[in-house]
Amino acid sequence: MRTKVAIVGAGPAGLLLGQLLHKQGIETVIIERRSRDYVLGRIRAGVLEQGTVELLERAGIGERMHAEGLVHDGVEFCFDGDRHRFDFRKLIGRSVTVYGQTEVTRDLMQARDASGDVSIYEADHVSIHDFGTDKPKVRFVKDGVQQEIACDFIAGCDGYHGVCRASVPAGALTTFERIYPFGWLGILVDRPPVADELIYAHHERGFALCSMRSPSRSRYYVQVPSGEKVEEWSDERFWDELRRRVDEETADRLVTGPSIEKSIAPLRSFVAEPLRFGRLFLAGDAAHIVPPTGAKGLNLAASDVGALAEAMTEYFHERSSAGIDGYSARVLARVWKAERFSWWMTSILHTFPNTDTFGRRMQRTEFDYLVGSEAASRSLAENYTGLPL
Ligand code: APR
Ligand code: PHB
């Protein structure tokens, strides 16, 4: 088999890259190690920046997002029971769209089916070869048969645990990482959200987040120590803990119900540099991880592949290597801004083990400063609703 771009991984990064290249008439093959249903069953975040919304429109998959997505003009922060709304529209004239990553993935899979381009799910033993030469290849086993795809480029869109970054010679890669000593326990529930907008709460018992997927489906999180077991959290225990971490009015308004999904996600900051190795390009979670606090993961994945699709289009249509040569530096500049914002949001909103009273007072003072300063509020609004590329 031969194709122009072999895309490893059918998460949002891989699928969106495939769709953007398809729009440019550039053929791709997607190789994914899981099944379609498995990929669609993963519950991830769901806040889209304006730039992501526009990119999905350009990719031709904006219709359901516009029909079902919820436009939010602000978010609320709640600090030890004191709630404050940051009005993005008033501050900077921008908003975000709440539309689940699962739904973005579903729309992209449907578009892929219609495109006629090949996707191989449940591919075993995926490996990449010769990306230091101009004849890169991807090998895998499908239904017990060994296969090989020759291509011009390999796009490593295979997430944090994927094979692509792991195949780069150790000396060629620099990585930066911080692992936080806590995770997020999240539940999904078919009950109306507690508020029209998201509430990010800091409390001495830990962080909490009230989010949503639709007017009838809510997503809630509470910070838990690393190593916590999800089996130890009954729905009742979860609701009790959530109520204690938000303000009284929110706690009273909360409509609880049986969870339809419950899981714990660790928090990590991670960046790999550079993002290009010969004919291999890394994008999305394969290249970087942000803690979910700033809602940047999906948006970064989208802006990475937006830039990569542009660079590859330039290469195939204009025979220019300028785009692919500049890809890594261009994308990393934005990645680091998102890393900073996500690290900052994480630092002020969570409770850190072994912190002293000074550290806690600094978190409170940071909140008071945000609330009292128009400049600080604008900066929050700018970073939350979209980072300039
Ligand atoms: N071979 C083929 N596919 C693989 C391999 C492999 N060796 N390893 C992993 N994959 C697949 C995974 O099964 C997954 O479907 O690559 C895909 C990567 O998808 P994601 O993890 O969703 O990553 P990405 O597409 O970069 O999307 C980033 O996901 O984690 C969130 O916050 C993040 O919202 C952001 C988004
Ligand atoms: C979510 O709805 O899952 C969500 C929203 C905002 C975040 C993180 C997760 O910052």
Side-chain angles (χ1 to χ4, degrees):
M1 220 193 295
R2 209 205 124 72
T3 191
K4 285 203 158 66
V5 184
I7 300 173
V8 184
L15 287 165
L16 180 55
L17 178 64
Q19 178 65 10
L20 291 167
L21 291 175
H22 170 74
K23 285 255 152 193
Q24 297 296 333
I26 298 164
E27 190 204 47
T28 61
V29 172
I30 295 183
I31 306 108
E32 162 65 50
R33 99 179 144 159
R34 304 287 191 173
S35 70
R36 253 174 114 97
D37 286 347
Y38 182 94
V39 172
L40 278 176
R42 292 189 296 227
I43 309 292
R44 299 269 179 79
V47 178
L48 309 182
E49 295 173 359
Q50 190 55 41
T52 305
V53 167
E54 284 161 17
L55 189 61
L56 294 176
E57 280 166 3
R58 280 208 296 285
I61 62 140
E63 205 175 313
R64 201 162 67 94
M65 169 184 68
H66 281 304
E68 296 177 20
L70 309 169
V71 175
H72 284 198
D73 287 340
V75 295
E76 294 196 281
F77 277 21
C78 177
F79 234 82
D80 295 330
D82 298 332
R83 199 142 47 81
H84 177 81
R85 176 167 188 260
F86 296 94
D87 187 332
F88 301 152
R89 182 138 302 278
K90 212 160 97 195
L91 285 161
I92 58 164
R94 295 209 304 236
S95 56
V96 291
T97 299
V98 172
Y99 187 63
Q101 178 170 320
T102 313
E103 305 312 315
V104 174
T105 306
R106 199 187 305 279
D107 296 344
L108 282 165
M109 281 182 175
Q110 222 166 54
R112 179 103 191 147
D113 289 343
S115 77
D117 284 330
V118 177
S119 313
I120 298 145
Y121 286 90
E122 296 177 89
D124 295 322
H125 308 291
V126 179
S127 60
I128 62 172
H129 305 270
D130 304 329
F131 49 85
T133 74
D134 60 1
K135 290 189 171 56
K137 295 159 198 84
V138 177
R139 293 196 189 116
F140 57 93
V141 174
K142 175 67 188 172
D143 299 328
V145 183
Q146 174 78 49
Q147 309 221 25
E148 182 178 286
I149 300 178
C151 53
D152 294 298
F153 295 117
I154 299 171
C157 299
D158 50 350
Y160 181 71
H161 299 287
V163 69
C164 290
R165 194 184 69 249
S167 303
V168 173
L173 197 70
T174 308
T175 60
F176 303 83
E177 184 168 43
R178 172 158 304 177
I179 296 170
Y180 301 89
F182 41 73
W184 282 15
L185 167 63
I187 71 166
L188 194 64
V189 58
D190 273 325
R191 290 290 184 274
V194 68
D196 292 339
E197 293 175 343
L198 272 59
I199 303 174
Y200 289 86
H202 170 97
H203 188 273
E204 62 176 344
R205 296 182 64 87
F207 167 80
L209 171 61
C210 306
S211 181
M212 67 195 71
R213 289 292 174 274
S214 75
S216 60
R217 181 171 282 190
S218 309
R219 179 83 168 148
Y220 296 101
Y221 298 94
V222 295
Q223 172 188 348
V224 293
S226 300
E228 193 85 348
K229 290 199 172 46
V230 72
E231 304 81 58
E232 284 162 17
W233 284 84
S234 64
D235 288 357
E236 208 181 335
R237 182 177 174 204
F238 181 92
W239 294 121
D240 284 345
E241 190 58 41
L242 179 63
R243 273 195 217 93
R244 295 171 83 159
R245 297 186 185 188
V246 295
D247 60 289
E248 235 178 273
E249 195 197 326
T250 303
D252 289 345
R253 242 188 0 235
L254 191 68
V255 189
T256 64
S259 62
I260 51 175
E261 197 264 356
K262 193 190 285 165
S263 55
I264 296 180
L267 266 71
R268 181 195 304 274
S269 296
F270 172 86
V271 182
E273 288 184 347
L275 300 181
R276 179 195 177 184
F277 308 90
R279 290 188 166 243
L280 167 68
F281 297 85
L282 301 179
D285 279 12
H288 42 71
I289 297 287
V290 285
T293 329
K296 289 285 168 245
L298 175 57
N299 292 296
L300 272 188
S303 61
D304 287 2
V305 299
L308 188 53
E310 250 177 53
M312 287 182 171
T313 301
E314 229 177 276
Y315 178 87
F316 288 114
H317 290 351
E318 294 164 34
R319 297 180 185 280
S320 160
S321 297
I324 57 171
D325 290 343
Y327 169 76
S328 182
R330 178 180 174 199
V331 162
L332 280 167
R334 189 175 199 275
V335 165
W336 279 112
K337 286 183 198 164
E339 290 287 344
R340 185 205 69 83
F341 178 65
S342 305
W343 159 84
W344 172 80
M345 283 268 285
T346 301
S347 310
I348 65 161
L349 289 170
H350 291 76
T351 300
F352 286 75
N354 309 320
T355 191
D356 50 15
T357 53
F358 182 83
R360 293 195 43 77
R361 212 30 114 69
M362 280 300 112
Q363 289 178 309
R364 173 73 207 197
T365 306
E366 185 91 27
F367 171 71
D368 292 340
Y369 171 59
L370 270 178
V371 170
S373 159
E374 164 113 11
S377 296
R378 286 171 66 97
S379 165
L380 170 70
E382 275 168 11
N383 279 279
Y384 194 88
T385 60
L387 302 147
L389 188 60

mmCIF file with all atom_site columns, all heavy atoms in Angstrom, residues 20-34:
data_model
loop_
_atom_site.group_PDB
_atom_site.id
_atom_site.type_symbol
_atom_site.label_atom_id
_atom_site.label_alt_id
_atom_site.label_comp_id
_atom_site.label_asym_id
_atom_site.label_entity_id
_atom_site.label_seq_id
_atom_site.pdbx_PDB_ins_code
_atom_site.Cartn_x
_atom_site.Cartn_y
_atom_site.Cartn_z
_atom_site.occupancy
_atom_site.B_iso_or_equiv
_atom_site.pdbx_formal_charge
_atom_site.auth_seq_id
_atom_site.auth_comp_id
_atom_site.auth_asym_id
_atom_site.auth_atom_id
_atom_site.pdbx_PDB_model_num
ATOM 1   N N   . LEU A 1 20 ? -8.656  17.645 6.991  1.00 0.00 ? 20 LEU A N   1
ATOM 2   C CA  . LEU A 1 20 ? -8.112  18.885 6.409  1.00 0.00 ? 20 LEU A CA  1
ATOM 3   C C   . LEU A 1 20 ? -7.316  18.569 5.141  1.00 0.00 ? 20 LEU A C   1
ATOM 4   O O   . LEU A 1 20 ? -7.392  19.298 4.145  1.00 0.00 ? 20 LEU A O   1
ATOM 5   C CB  . LEU A 1 20 ? -7.229  19.609 7.432  1.00 0.00 ? 20 LEU A CB  1
ATOM 6   C CG  . LEU A 1 20 ? -7.966  20.222 8.634  1.00 0.00 ? 20 LEU A CG  1
ATOM 7   C CD1 . LEU A 1 20 ? -6.976  20.620 9.733  1.00 0.00 ? 20 LEU A CD1 1
ATOM 8   C CD2 . LEU A 1 20 ? -8.796  21.436 8.200  1.00 0.00 ? 20 LEU A CD2 1
ATOM 9   N N   . LEU A 1 21 ? -6.555  17.477 5.162  1.00 0.00 ? 21 LEU A N   1
ATOM 10  C CA  . LEU A 1 21 ? -5.777  17.106 3.964  1.00 0.00 ? 21 LEU A CA  1
ATOM 11  C C   . LEU A 1 21 ? -6.703  16.618 2.855  1.00 0.00 ? 21 LEU A C   1
ATOM 12  O O   . LEU A 1 21 ? -6.489  16.909 1.678  1.00 0.00 ? 21 LEU A O   1
ATOM 13  C CB  . LEU A 1 21 ? -4.720  16.058 4.325  1.00 0.00 ? 21 LEU A CB  1
ATOM 14  C CG  . LEU A 1 21 ? -3.582  16.578 5.223  1.00 0.00 ? 21 LEU A CG  1
ATOM 15  C CD1 . LEU A 1 21 ? -2.635  15.449 5.639  1.00 0.00 ? 21 LEU A CD1 1
ATOM 16  C CD2 . LEU A 1 21 ? -2.791  17.699 4.523  1.00 0.00 ? 21 LEU A CD2 1
ATOM 17  N N   . HIS A 1 22 ? -7.756  15.892 3.234  1.00 0.00 ? 22 HIS A N   1
ATOM 18  C CA  . HIS A 1 22 ? -8.728  15.442 2.233  1.00 0.00 ? 22 HIS A CA  1
ATOM 19  C C   . HIS A 1 22 ? -9.314  16.640 1.486  1.00 0.00 ? 22 HIS A C   1
ATOM 20  O O   . HIS A 1 22 ? -9.473  16.613 0.266  1.00 0.00 ? 22 HIS A O   1
ATOM 21  C CB  . HIS A 1 22 ? -9.844  14.639 2.906  1.00 0.00 ? 22 HIS A CB  1
ATOM 22  C CG  . HIS A 1 22 ? -10.988 14.341 1.996  1.00 0.00 ? 22 HIS A CG  1
ATOM 23  N ND1 . HIS A 1 22 ? -10.913 13.385 0.988  1.00 0.00 ? 22 HIS A ND1 1
ATOM 24  C CD2 . HIS A 1 22 ? -12.226 14.884 1.900  1.00 0.00 ? 22 HIS A CD2 1
ATOM 25  C CE1 . HIS A 1 22 ? -12.055 13.371 0.327  1.00 0.00 ? 22 HIS A CE1 1
ATOM 26  N NE2 . HIS A 1 22 ? -12.870 14.271 0.857  1.00 0.00 ? 22 HIS A NE2 1
ATOM 27  N N   . LYS A 1 23 ? -9.623  17.707 2.245  1.00 0.00 ? 23 LYS A N   1
ATOM 28  C CA  . LYS A 1 23 ? -10.183 18.923 1.631  1.00 0.00 ? 23 LYS A CA  1
ATOM 29  C C   . LYS A 1 23 ? -9.231  19.501 0.590  1.00 0.00 ? 23 LYS A C   1
ATOM 30  O O   . LYS A 1 23 ? -9.649  20.222 -0.314 1.00 0.00 ? 23 LYS A O   1
ATOM 31  C CB  . LYS A 1 23 ? -10.447 19.986 2.703  1.00 0.00 ? 23 LYS A CB  1
ATOM 32  C CG  . LYS A 1 23 ? -11.661 19.685 3.552  1.00 0.00 ? 23 LYS A CG  1
ATOM 33  C CD  . LYS A 1 23 ? -12.802 20.586 3.144  1.00 0.00 ? 23 LYS A CD  1
ATOM 34  C CE  . LYS A 1 23 ? -14.135 19.915 3.424  1.00 0.00 ? 23 LYS A CE  1
ATOM 35  N NZ  . LYS A 1 23 ? -15.261 20.572 2.813  1.00 0.00 ? 23 LYS A NZ  1
ATOM 36  N N   . GLN A 1 24 ? -7.940  19.227 0.769  1.00 0.00 ? 24 GLN A N   1
ATOM 37  C CA  . GLN A 1 24 ? -6.935  19.739 -0.177 1.00 0.00 ? 24 GLN A CA  1
ATOM 38  C C   . GLN A 1 24 ? -6.598  18.695 -1.245 1.00 0.00 ? 24 GLN A C   1
ATOM 39  O O   . GLN A 1 24 ? -5.622  18.854 -1.980 1.00 0.00 ? 24 GLN A O   1
ATOM 40  C CB  . GLN A 1 24 ? -5.655  20.123 0.579  1.00 0.00 ? 24 GLN A CB  1
ATOM 41  C CG  . GLN A 1 24 ? -5.842  21.256 1.582  1.00 0.00 ? 24 GLN A CG  1
ATOM 42  C CD  . GLN A 1 24 ? -6.218  22.562 0.910  1.00 0.00 ? 24 GLN A CD  1
ATOM 43  O OE1 . GLN A 1 24 ? -5.881  22.802 -0.254 1.00 0.00 ? 24 GLN A OE1 1
ATOM 44  N NE2 . GLN A 1 24 ? -6.953  23.408 1.625  1.00 0.00 ? 24 GLN A NE2 1
ATOM 45  N N   . GLY A 1 25 ? -7.323  17.604 -1.265 1.00 0.00 ? 25 GLY A N   1
ATOM 46  C CA  . GLY A 1 25 ? -7.073  16.557 -2.254 1.00 0.00 ? 25 GLY A CA  1
ATOM 47  C C   . GLY A 1 25 ? -5.814  15.735 -1.962 1.00 0.00 ? 25 GLY A C   1
ATOM 48  O O   . GLY A 1 25 ? -5.243  15.127 -2.874 1.00 0.00 ? 25 GLY A O   1
ATOM 49  N N   . ILE A 1 26 ? -5.383  15.731 -0.716 1.00 0.00 ? 26 ILE A N   1
ATOM 50  C CA  . ILE A 1 26 ? -4.183  14.969 -0.349 1.00 0.00 ? 26 ILE A CA  1
ATOM 51  C C   . ILE A 1 26 ? -4.599  13.679 0.362  1.00 0.00 ? 26 ILE A C   1
ATOM 52  O O   . ILE A 1 26 ? -5.287  13.720 1.388  1.00 0.00 ? 26 ILE A O   1
ATOM 53  C CB  . ILE A 1 26 ? -3.244  15.824 0.547  1.00 0.00 ? 26 ILE A CB  1
ATOM 54  C CG1 . ILE A 1 26 ? -2.781  17.059 -0.238 1.00 0.00 ? 26 ILE A CG1 1
ATOM 55  C CG2 . ILE A 1 26 ? -2.055  15.000 1.039  1.00 0.00 ? 26 ILE A CG2 1
ATOM 56  C CD1 . ILE A 1 26 ? -2.177  18.160 0.629  1.00 0.00 ? 26 ILE A CD1 1
ATOM 57  N N   . GLU A 1 27 ? -4.173  12.562 -0.204 1.00 0.00 ? 27 GLU A N   1
ATOM 58  C CA  . GLU A 1 27 ? -4.624  11.264 0.291  1.00 0.00 ? 27 GLU A CA  1
ATOM 59  C C   . GLU A 1 27 ? -3.884  10.842 1.561  1.00 0.00 ? 27 GLU A C   1
ATOM 60  O O   . GLU A 1 27 ? -2.678  11.044 1.682  1.00 0.00 ? 27 GLU A O   1
ATOM 61  C CB  . GLU A 1 27 ? -4.397  10.225 -0.818 1.00 0.00 ? 27 GLU A CB  1
ATOM 62  C CG  . GLU A 1 27 ? -5.018  8.893  -0.540 1.00 0.00 ? 27 GLU A CG  1
ATOM 63  C CD  . GLU A 1 27 ? -4.301  7.782  -1.303 1.00 0.00 ? 27 GLU A CD  1
ATOM 64  O OE1 . GLU A 1 27 ? -3.054  7.734  -1.274 1.00 0.00 ? 27 GLU A OE1 1
ATOM 65  O OE2 . GLU A 1 27 ? -5.005  6.957  -1.903 1.00 0.00 ? 27 GLU A OE2 1
ATOM 66  N N   . THR A 1 28 ? -4.638  10.259 2.493  1.00 0.00 ? 28 THR A N   1
ATOM 67  C CA  . THR A 1 28 ? -4.045  9.789  3.752  1.00 0.00 ? 28 THR A CA  1
ATOM 68  C C   . THR A 1 28 ? -4.572  8.395  4.091  1.00 0.00 ? 28 THR A C   1
ATOM 69  O O   . THR A 1 28 ? -5.634  8.001  3.611  1.00 0.00 ? 28 THR A O   1
ATOM 70  C CB  . THR A 1 28 ? -4.430  10.722 4.921  1.00 0.00 ? 28 THR A CB  1
ATOM 71  O OG1 . THR A 1 28 ? -5.860  10.720 5.072  1.00 0.00 ? 28 THR A OG1 1
ATOM 72  C CG2 . THR A 1 28 ? -3.961  12.154 4.698  1.00 0.00 ? 28 THR A CG2 1
ATOM 73  N N   . VAL A 1 29 ? -3.813  7.683  4.910  1.00 0.00 ? 29 VAL A N   1
ATOM 74  C CA  . VAL A 1 29 ? -4.321  6.449  5.525  1.00 0.00 ? 29 VAL A CA  1
ATOM 75  C C   . VAL A 1 29 ? -4.173  6.624  7.028  1.00 0.00 ? 29 VAL A C   1
ATOM 76  O O   . VAL A 1 29 ? -3.131  7.084  7.500  1.00 0.00 ? 29 VAL A O   1
ATOM 77  C CB  . VAL A 1 29 ? -3.527  5.205  5.047  1.00 0.00 ? 29 VAL A CB  1
ATOM 78  C CG1 . VAL A 1 29 ? -3.937  3.967  5.841  1.00 0.00 ? 29 VAL A CG1 1
ATOM 79  C CG2 . VAL A 1 29 ? -3.738  4.960  3.558  1.00 0.00 ? 29 VAL A CG2 1
ATOM 80  N N   . ILE A 1 30 ? -5.224  6.317  7.766  1.00 0.00 ? 30 ILE A N   1
ATOM 81  C CA  . ILE A 1 30 ? -5.162  6.394  9.235  1.00 0.00 ? 30 ILE A CA  1
ATOM 82  C C   . ILE A 1 30 ? -5.011  4.987  9.799  1.00 0.00 ? 30 ILE A C   1
ATOM 83  O O   . ILE A 1 30 ? -5.752  4.072  9.416  1.00 0.00 ? 30 ILE A O   1
ATOM 84  C CB  . ILE A 1 30 ? -6.432  7.074  9.811  1.00 0.00 ? 30 ILE A CB  1
ATOM 85  C CG1 . ILE A 1 30 ? -6.504  8.538  9.365  1.00 0.00 ? 30 ILE A CG1 1
ATOM 86  C CG2 . ILE A 1 30 ? -6.442  6.985  11.342 1.00 0.00 ? 30 ILE A CG2 1
ATOM 87  C CD1 . ILE A 1 30 ? -7.691  9.324  9.930  1.00 0.00 ? 30 ILE A CD1 1
ATOM 88  N N   . ILE A 1 31 ? -4.037  4.830  10.701 1.00 0.00 ? 31 ILE A N   1
ATOM 89  C CA  . ILE A 1 31 ? -3.804  3.529  11.334 1.00 0.00 ? 31 ILE A CA  1
ATOM 90  C C   . ILE A 1 31 ? -4.021  3.694  12.838 1.00 0.00 ? 31 ILE A C   1
ATOM 91  O O   . ILE A 1 31 ? -3.308  4.455  13.492 1.00 0.00 ? 31 ILE A O   1
ATOM 92  C CB  . ILE A 1 31 ? -2.358  3.024  11.070 1.00 0.00 ? 31 ILE A CB  1
ATOM 93  C CG1 . ILE A 1 31 ? -2.063  3.019  9.562  1.00 0.00 ? 31 ILE A CG1 1
ATOM 94  C CG2 . ILE A 1 31 ? -2.141  1.632  11.665 1.00 0.00 ? 31 ILE A CG2 1
ATOM 95  C CD1 . ILE A 1 31 ? -1.109  4.083  9.130  1.00 0.00 ? 31 ILE A CD1 1
ATOM 96  N N   . GLU A 1 32 ? -5.016  2.996  13.376 1.00 0.00 ? 32 GLU A N   1
ATOM 97  C CA  . GLU A 1 32 ? -5.403  3.137  14.793 1.00 0.00 ? 32 GLU A CA  1
ATOM 98  C C   . GLU A 1 32 ? -5.387  1.757  15.448 1.00 0.00 ? 32 GLU A C   1
ATOM 99  O O   . GLU A 1 32 ? -5.893  0.801  14.883 1.00 0.00 ? 32 GLU A O   1
ATOM 100 C CB  . GLU A 1 32 ? -6.791  3.775  14.864 1.00 0.00 ? 32 GLU A CB  1
ATOM 101 C CG  . GLU A 1 32 ? -7.544  3.623  16.165 1.00 0.00 ? 32 GLU A CG  1
ATOM 102 C CD  . GLU A 1 32 ? -6.900  4.325  17.375 1.00 0.00 ? 32 GLU A CD  1
ATOM 103 O OE1 . GLU A 1 32 ? -6.558  5.519  17.257 1.00 0.00 ? 32 GLU A OE1 1
ATOM 104 O OE2 . GLU A 1 32 ? -6.721  3.657  18.415 1.00 0.00 ? 32 GLU A OE2 1
ATOM 105 N N   . ARG A 1 33 ? -4.843  1.722  16.664 1.00 0.00 ? 33 ARG A N   1
ATOM 106 C CA  . ARG A 1 33 ? -4.722  0.393  17.260 1.00 0.00 ? 33 ARG A CA  1
ATOM 107 C C   . ARG A 1 33 ? -6.002  -0.074 17.959 1.00 0.00 ? 33 ARG A C   1
ATOM 108 O O   . ARG A 1 33 ? -6.206  -1.273 18.130 1.00 0.00 ? 33 ARG A O   1
ATOM 109 C CB  . ARG A 1 33 ? -3.506  0.369  18.171 1.00 0.00 ? 33 ARG A CB  1
ATOM 110 C CG  . ARG A 1 33 ? -3.772  0.542  19.607 1.00 0.00 ? 33 ARG A CG  1
ATOM 111 C CD  . ARG A 1 33 ? -2.511  0.485  20.384 1.00 0.00 ? 33 ARG A CD  1
ATOM 112 N NE  . ARG A 1 33 ? -2.685  1.448  21.450 1.00 0.00 ? 33 ARG A NE  1
ATOM 113 C CZ  . ARG A 1 33 ? -2.001  1.448  22.570 1.00 0.00 ? 33 ARG A CZ  1
ATOM 114 N NH1 . ARG A 1 33 ? -1.036  0.583  22.726 1.00 0.00 ? 33 ARG A NH1 1
ATOM 115 N NH2 . ARG A 1 33 ? -2.241  2.331  23.493 1.00 0.00 ? 33 ARG A NH2 1
ATOM 116 N N   . ARG A 1 34 ? -6.884  0.835  18.307 1.00 0.00 ? 34 ARG A N   1
ATOM 117 C CA  . ARG A 1 34 ? -8.129  0.445  18.980 1.00 0.00 ? 34 ARG A CA  1
ATOM 118 C C   . ARG A 1 34 ? -9.266  0.321  17.972 1.00 0.00 ? 34 ARG A C   1
ATOM 119 O O   . ARG A 1 34 ? -9.112  0.671  16.810 1.00 0.00 ? 34 ARG A O   1
ATOM 120 C CB  . ARG A 1 34 ? -8.514  1.506  20.015 1.00 0.00 ? 34 ARG A CB  1
ATOM 121 C CG  . ARG A 1 34 ? -7.467  1.791  21.035 1.00 0.00 ? 34 ARG A CG  1
ATOM 122 C CD  . ARG A 1 34 ? -7.369  0.654  22.021 1.00 0.00 ? 34 ARG A CD  1
ATOM 123 N NE  . ARG A 1 34 ? -6.552  1.024  23.159 1.00 0.00 ? 34 ARG A NE  1
ATOM 124 C CZ  . ARG A 1 34 ? -6.402  0.262  24.237 1.00 0.00 ? 34 ARG A CZ  1
ATOM 125 N NH1 . ARG A 1 34 ? -6.975  -0.915 24.299 1.00 0.00 ? 34 ARG A NH1 1
ATOM 126 N NH2 . ARG A 1 34 ? -5.657  0.678  25.243 1.00 0.00 ? 34 ARG A NH2 1
#
